[in-house]
Each structure stands twice: as C-alpha cells, then as structure tokens.
Amino acid sequence: MSAHCRLTGAEPRFGNNISHSHRRTSRRFDPNVQRKRYWLPSEGRYVRLRLSTKGIRTVDRIGIEAAVARIRARGVRI
C-alpha cells in the first residue's frame, strides 16, 4: 500500500501502453506520493504522512489540524 495518499485517497490506476504498431501492454499510473513531516501543535508532536502532491497543497490550504481530522474521519490511524 505504498502508492496511496492518506488524505485524498489517491491510488494507482491502470491502463495500457500503446506501441507504434498499436499493440497494447499493461501499465500502471502511480500518484506522486511524498513522505512529509508536519508539526501537530494540538498533540505536541510531529506526524509523518505519505501524501500526494495534491494532498500536500491541500494541507497548505486548510492547515494540518483540519487535514488530520479528515484523515481520521476516513478511519486511518495516525
């Protein structure tokens, strides 16, 4: 479960490579997942999250406290 974003729920998608002769082979589209550390003031500790780049931008917009609340609402343990 390494290519999953904990905030947005982004996960790998699957599709095809199509060659010049139009042969199709399977491929995988992975989200751009990064490991990021945030200071969580309410708990007085750092949390390490695996977030997609869209998830990182969401945390920047809404704040870490609201982001952690959303993650916990999805049932993910932090």
Side-chain angles (χ1 to χ4, degrees), residues 7-20:
L7 180 60
T8 63
E11 59 188 12
R13 306 283 184 217
F14 296 91
N16 291 312
N17 282 325
I18 303 180
S19 70
H20 181 69

Side-chain angles (χ1 to χ4, degrees), residues 4-38:
H4 286 68
C5 175
R6 297 186 110 182
L7 180 60
T8 63
E11 59 188 12
R13 306 283 184 217
F14 296 91
N16 291 312
N17 282 325
I18 303 180
S19 70
H20 181 69
S21 64
H22 218 66
R23 287 180 59 102
R24 294 165 187 248
T25 55
S26 293
R27 65 160 294 178
R28 179 175 151 149
F29 295 92
D30 285 328
N32 186 4
V33 176
Q34 310 290 324
R35 193 172 163 120
K36 190 129 168 77
R37 193 174 83 144
Y38 290 100

Side-chain angles (χ1 to χ4, degrees), residues 1-12 30-34 49-59 71 74 76:
M1 209 169 128
S2 60
H4 286 68
C5 175
R6 297 186 110 182
L7 180 60
T8 63
E11 59 188 12
D30 285 328
N32 186 4
V33 176
Q34 310 290 324
L49 300 173
R50 289 186 60 87
L51 300 171
S52 63
T53 50
K54 183 179 177 181
I56 292 171
R57 290 173 59 207
T58 302
V59 170
I71 293 170
R74 291 180 68 227
V76 178

